[in-house]
Amino acid sequence: MALMITDECINCDVCEPECPNQAISMGADYYQIDPARCTECVGHFDEPQCVQVCPVACIPVNPAHVETREGLMAKYLRLQQAG
């Protein structure tokens, strides 16, 4: 599963630097998460760091990108190899 940022985002800038995969960037109106880079912090942390720091709880699981923990680990390993 990749995470997503909803339009409730207040652009507080705390999530972007917490992402170990550089999956978070500023979108047209608020931050967005690249599902190709989001591993929900699998391989890095026990919990998604963006969710932990978000003051408005606007980072749910993206239902369009459901993945198993094994799939997230495989993505993490691919991202690590890509450098």
Side-chain angles (χ1 to χ4, degrees):
M1 297 170 278
L3 300 173
M4 60 186 272
I5 297 175
T6 68
D7 61 3
E8 296 168 350
C9 175
I10 59 171
N11 294 325
C12 68
D13 303 320
V14 298
C15 61
E16 184 182 22
E18 295 300 318
C19 181
N21 296 317
Q22 292 82 44
I24 301 174
S25 62
M26 188 61 175
D29 297 314
Y30 52 90
Y31 280 90
Q32 60 189 14
I33 297 177
D34 179 353
R37 298 194 64 83
C38 179
T39 64
E40 293 185 38
C41 290
V42 168
H44 294 283
F45 301 101
D46 292 334
E47 299 288 329
Q49 298 301 287
C50 60
V51 173
Q52 297 296 312
V53 299
C54 181
V56 293
C58 67
I59 309 177
V61 170
N62 186 338
H65 296 280
V66 176
E67 299 172 80
T68 64
R69 186 159 181 85
E70 292 77 19
L72 292 169
M73 180 57 82
K75 187 191 307 183
Y76 161 77
L77 293 172
R78 281 193 311 274
L79 290 169
Q80 293 303 303
Q81 290 175 349

